[in-house]
Amino acid sequence: MPKLSLENVRHSFSVDTPPKTVHAVGPISFALEEGEFVAIVGPSGCGKSTLLRLAAGLLEADEGAIRFTGERIDGPSPRRGMVFQQPALFPWLDVTGNVAFGSRFRSLGPAASRDLTSNLITAVGLDGFEHFYPTALSGGMQQRAALARTLAGGPELLLLDEPFGALDQQTRAQMQAWLAGLLGDRGITALLVTHDIEEAVFLADRVLVMSGRPGRLRAAFDIGLPADRRQRVRTGPEFVARKAEILAALES
């Protein structure tokens, strides 16, 4: 049974100026297997982020079926955690408070919640910054805290909406390598939306290419590089070849 499946999904939305209905995405079908990391690339406005919100239960599909572990999605759930491009941390809480907030979805006692929070702060490399507030953190550190908060909810599926899009190139590459190690160690299923083909090839087991709006599945690529993403060499011939294939599909 797939971890997540979309079957002939369509979604539209209404705009007021001028009044009209915009067909955003679909029909589209694909599935994620347990432990798989899938990335979605496509032109701006093709419905990539809409797909994530549908999978998160933040939007309801007009047609088709979206299932998580075989059951139809009927709303948000901590089992499906979402990380946005902007960290959206609570400014009145420090790192510990923000991360601990995520654990409220789980039936944990105070001691277990404190241990989980501490372990996640260590896992995302924020030891020593436990009592820093978001305004005192760099963009990369804020995103680490936001991811730790999401992981504190115990998600089985991680939905990533360009989480490193606002970072500079060097920090972005560092965060990609860090995320690759973190998720690889935890075996979490993940669906990533990105405009960065290199990011998709570095992180994903499989890359889906979408058409322009209304977004449909144009092509799918099995990356076929080392399962340990930290061993993927961005300048290696196989890596470069995968990037070229995906770019050609986008430009066709």
Side-chain angles (χ1 to χ4, degrees):
M1 180 186 300
K3 195 70 173 179
L4 175 73
S5 65
L6 287 80
E7 303 165 10
N8 296 316
V9 169
R10 293 176 182 262
H11 184 74
S12 301
F13 60 89
S14 299
V15 295
D16 297 329
T17 310
K20 65 176 181 178
T21 298
V22 177
H23 182 189
V25 64
I28 189 168
S29 302
F30 64 89
L32 275 71
E33 301 301 325
E34 179 84 33
E36 188 179 24
F37 195 127
V38 173
I40 300 177
V41 299
S44 295
C46 72
K48 300 186 299 297
S49 293
T50 297
L51 283 177
L52 283 192
R53 284 163 172 77
L54 288 166
L58 300 175
L59 295 175
E60 184 177 352
D62 299 331
E63 299 179 21
I66 308 174
R67 293 183 172 88
F68 177 68
T69 61
E71 299 180 357
R72 278 184 178 263
I73 292 174
D74 58 5
S77 167
R79 296 176 67 196
R80 289 171 274 113
M82 190 158 179
V83 180
F84 299 91
Q85 182 172 349
Q86 299 299 326
L89 296 171
F90 300 120
W92 59 88
L93 296 177
D94 59 13
V95 168
T96 295
N98 269 285
V99 176
F101 184 85
S103 67
R104 75 194 191 285
F105 298 109
R106 303 168 75 168
S107 300
L108 298 175
S113 179
R114 286 194 298 270
D115 288 344
L116 174 66
T117 298
S118 177
N119 290 337
L120 283 171
I121 288 173
T122 297
V124 300
L126 288 178
D127 279 333
F129 295 90
E130 294 90 340
H131 302 300
F132 280 57
Y133 286 83
T135 54
L137 302 175
S138 68
M141 295 169 75
Q142 289 184 35
Q143 198 59 284
R144 291 186 188 204
L147 182 56
R149 181 179 63 186
T150 301
L151 292 175
E156 299 170 39
L157 173 67
L158 196 60
L159 303 166
L160 302 159
D161 191 1
E162 297 195 70
F164 309 138
L167 305 179
D168 64 84
Q169 188 61 39
Q170 182 178 3
T171 303
R172 185 171 184 150
Q174 292 171 347
M175 291 291 291
Q176 290 163 1
W178 165 79
L179 179 64
L182 182 69
L183 296 189
D185 294 339
R186 293 173 177 266
I188 295 175
T189 309
L191 181 61
L192 166 74
V193 159
T194 180
H195 283 98
D196 188 333
I197 297 175
E198 181 173 299
E199 180 171 80
V201 175
F202 183 78
L203 288 172
D205 302 306
R206 187 158 49 100
V207 175
L208 308 180
V209 179
M210 290 181 65
S211 68
R213 191 174 63 240
R216 295 179 172 88
L217 184 60
R218 170 176 283 176
F221 296 89
D222 290 320
I223 297 304
L225 293 172
D228 184 345
R229 296 158 182 84
R230 291 164 291 189
Q231 296 179 8
R232 299 182 180 184
V233 181
R234 298 173 193 259
T235 55
E238 292 182 341
F239 194 103
V240 173
R242 299 297 181 276
K243 286 174 57 179
E245 290 169 355
I246 295 167
L247 180 60
L250 279 169
E251 294 180 341
S252 64

